[in-house]
Amino acid sequence: MVWMALFHLAFDLNHFGWLRPRQNFYEDPLWTVQRSCIVSLFMFSAGLSLAAAQQAGQPWPKFWKRWAQIAGCALLVSLGSIWMFPKSWISFGVLHGFAVMLVLARLAAPLKLWLWPVGLLCVVLPMAVQHPFFDMRWTNWVGLVTRKPVTEDYAPVLPWLGVMLLGLAAGQGLLRWRPGWIAGPLPTVGRPLAGLGRWALSFYMLHQPVLIGLLLAGQALRR
């Protein structure tokens, strides 16, 4: 969460022209690799959390309640991006991906050890299979694209479902063989970060408006 906020702060500073030299967040490996690492951590952690929730007996109605919150926030992200980036608005970003992949991962949870090869297949498949059919906005959510779409955020089902499934597989294994690694007491120093994890969706939705608001205020003061 902290890494993501710092990354978005750098993006916002660049967007408003405060970074010198100006950065290319869409092609420069310094930024694209960071973004991939952040999304990987999100998806893997979501898989771990799903494993813990299922072991705790989370019923489908409670799952759907949380899912509706994520899907609703994804819609808000799309609407906000249309206003701010009309030519590169977000049709299938991280939250959209979460909404689809959490359902698929929950349905796949009974695979248990088979989650490992299925997850790896999902990660590798987009590297081997691409087709122009999937380059359209209405199909690029699958991930088998020949080129990355023009959008401010893009987290297709493939390969990211694979990362989530690997997190789910790891979570199931840890809860069986090393439950203390996930369910054990937190050291005092880690509790503030755990709080961020419990309010991850709220933090995700609010941190960018707050950062952008602060930068706009700073820009006004500079004038």
Side-chain angles (χ1 to χ4, degrees), residues 17 33 39 90 179:
V33 170
V39 176
I90 300 168

Side-chain angles (χ1 to χ4, degrees), residues 26-98:
Y26 306 101
E27 296 179 0
D28 189 337
L30 172 66
W31 303 108
T32 58
V33 170
Q34 283 193 69
R35 193 248 180 204
S36 295
C37 290
I38 292 167
V39 176
S40 295
L41 284 172
F42 269 140
M43 298 301 175
F44 193 85
S45 297
L48 289 173
S49 298
L50 185 58
Q54 289 204 287
Q55 190 192 59
Q58 183 192 55
W60 275 102
K62 189 172 182 180
F63 171 87
W64 286 120
K65 181 180 178 180
R66 183 59 171 171
W67 180 90
Q69 293 173 342
I70 295 170
C73 287
L75 178 60
L76 290 176
V77 167
S78 288
L79 294 174
S81 69
I82 290 173
W83 170 70
M84 195 164 180
F85 304 102
K87 294 183 179 180
S88 56
W89 64 281
I90 300 168
S91 60
F92 204 82
V94 171
L95 289 183
H96 306 73
F98 259 113

